[in-house]
Amino acid sequence: MIIDLRSDTLTKPTPGMREAMFSAPIGDDVFGEDPTVNALEEKIANLFGMEAAVFCPSGTMTNQIAIRLHTRIQTEVICHKYSHIYLYEGGGIMSNSLASVKLLDGNLGKITAAQIAASINPDDVHAPETTLVSLENTMNKGGGSIYRLDEITPIRDLCDEKGLKLHLDGARLFNALVESGESPADWGAQFDTISVCLSKGLGCPIGSVLLGTKADIKRARKVRKSFGGGMRQAGFLAAAGIYALDHQVDRLKEDHARARKLGEMLLELPVVSEVLPVATNIVIARLEGISPEEFMSKLAQKDIKSVKFGPDLVRFVTHHDFDDDQLEEFGARVRKL
């Protein structure tokens, strides 16, 4: 048994999801004629109380489209220094939008309204114009940490006051919502655009959705086309998203419960000095006396896969294809390291 905890992108479609995909009615999405894509976009837009949505191949694309919508050359994006849009999207902010970035620090990957207010550039010829604030929920590099609505509201108020747009990288937003109990519609009311990934905890094989106003999503479709993201009979993939929204949201709590137990198992190891607070399905262990490479090699010898997440950090991510039997086996194997 190989225990693969590198990412929740490793999930495979369930039999029910496969059946939904194979039986989906399809058309040409670039012409707006794929009924299943249209149904997915309408379903998730209604869920978040937002006007429209566009289906894309990846979360990187939906994030980068949003940045293009809300910036222009010589403007600036404010985000946390560990944000996915900055660290893991191939320099897209610069190459796609020709925008600058102001990086903030913050506890477990989160930033506050006060920090943002202090970072907005003055109207000065020497500085790029601040136009966009981007947040991430859950926060990957923060160990799956969660923003709560009461943390978002003052940020939204600040953006309204200063004329800034507010984007959410919600790659694991449903993980946050099932844990907090907050509603998608309440979150949709706070943001100009939201990116929601379907291929992580929700278990779809591919795809993300960008939500926003009708005007923004109309522009987003043109940007998607220029990015090479126009898909044809994409209904096969969209059907997986519809199935996931109907059947695989509440079960994310199971991933979170297993992640907490996994974190407890790791803390029993003498080489693990700390496990970041486990809020959702991401577990980040801090090592002492051993490098991540050496620790991961020892894990690999036990057929356990993980990823390096810093000079002394290793990440584990629970997901749909990691069950209680694998969790028990994980504990048995690491105790023998």
Side-chain angles (χ1 to χ4, degrees), residues 277-289:
V278 181
T280 50
N281 69 323
I282 296 176
V283 183
I284 298 180
R286 189 178 306 279
L287 307 174
E288 61 180 3

Side-chain angles (χ1 to χ4, degrees), residues 10-319:
L10 296 161
T11 53
K12 306 293 194 301
T14 64
M17 182 179 286
R18 289 174 185 268
E19 182 178 350
M21 294 170 69
F22 291 146
S23 62
I26 56 172
D28 191 316
D29 180 47
V30 175
F31 285 102
E33 296 174 356
D34 191 302
T36 308
V37 172
N38 293 343
L40 170 64
E41 292 171 346
E42 182 178 1
K43 182 182 184 70
I44 197 164
N46 289 339
L47 185 64
F48 281 87
M50 302 183 79
E51 292 183 357
V54 60
F55 183 50
C56 296
S58 72
T60 293
M61 182 174 286
T62 47
N63 281 330
Q64 291 301 315
I65 290 173
I67 293 166
R68 173 71 73 85
L69 294 178
H70 302 316
T71 63
R72 59 188 184 279
I73 189 171
Q74 292 182 298
T75 60
E76 188 164 79
V77 181
I78 294 176
C79 63
H80 192 279
K81 67 180 183 181
Y82 291 153
S83 293
H84 194 280
I85 63 167
Y86 176 72
L87 287 181
Y88 297 121
E89 298 187 4
I93 298 174
M94 179 279 295
S95 62
N96 295 321
S97 298
L98 298 176
S100 181
V101 188
K102 182 166 289 183
L103 302 175
L104 307 185
D105 203 351
N107 185 42
L108 296 176
K110 301 194 299 180
I111 55 178
T112 67
Q115 288 178 288
I116 295 166
S119 303
I120 298 171
N121 288 331
D123 183 9
D124 188 299
V125 68
H126 300 92
E129 178 189 356
T130 307
T131 61
L132 174 63
V133 176
S134 181
L135 308 177
E136 187 176 325
N137 195 28
T138 69
M139 184 63 187
N140 180 21
K141 291 283 283 188
S145 59
I146 298 174
Y147 277 101
R148 306 282 177 161
L149 271 172
D150 59 4
E151 298 172 287
I152 301 299
T153 302
I155 297 175
R156 175 73 266 174
D157 292 343
L158 174 67
C159 289
D160 288 341
E161 177 189 345
K162 300 297 184 180
L164 308 181
K165 297 295 185 178
L166 184 59
H167 172 66
L168 178 65
D169 175 1
R172 295 182 175 90
L173 180 55
F174 280 103
N175 290 87
L177 295 180
V178 299
E179 197 65 30
S180 69
E182 295 166 346
S183 77
D186 287 342
W187 276 76
Q190 300 297 319
F191 291 88
D192 295 287
T193 48
I194 297 178
S195 166
V196 179
C197 186
L198 302 172
S199 64
K200 293 186 171 68
L202 293 183
C204 296
I206 190 171
S208 290
V209 183
L210 181 66
L211 303 121
T213 65
K214 289 180 180 179
D216 277 343
I217 297 305
K218 182 178 180 180
R219 290 179 57 214
R221 291 185 186 278
K222 183 170 287 190
V223 178
R224 181 185 70 168
K225 182 66 175 175
S226 71
F227 282 177
M231 298 182 284
R232 300 300 178 174
Q233 287 73 35
F236 293 120
L237 300 173
I242 294 172
Y243 182 91
L245 292 173
D246 287 341
H247 300 284
Q248 298 188 175
V249 173
D250 288 343
R251 62 145 302 279
L252 293 170
K253 297 176 184 177
E254 300 173 16
D255 296 343
H256 303 172
R258 293 185 185 110
R260 286 188 284 269
K261 291 179 181 177
L262 190 145
E264 293 169 0
M265 293 173 179
L266 289 169
L267 277 174
E268 296 175 3
L269 302 178
V271 296
V272 174
S273 63
E274 178 189 12
V275 170
L276 297 189
V278 181
T280 50
N281 69 323
I282 296 176
V283 183
I284 298 180
R286 189 178 306 279
L287 307 174
E288 61 180 3
I290 189 172
S291 69
E293 291 83 1
E294 186 179 357
F295 183 63
M296 291 167 57
S297 176
K298 291 180 179 295
L299 291 174
Q301 292 170 22
K302 302 290 185 181
D303 287 329
I304 298 172
K305 295 184 178 182
S306 57
V307 297
K308 181 179 177 180
F309 224 48
D312 59 350
L313 301 175
V314 175
R315 188 189 75 169
F316 304 82
V317 184
T318 59
H319 51 78

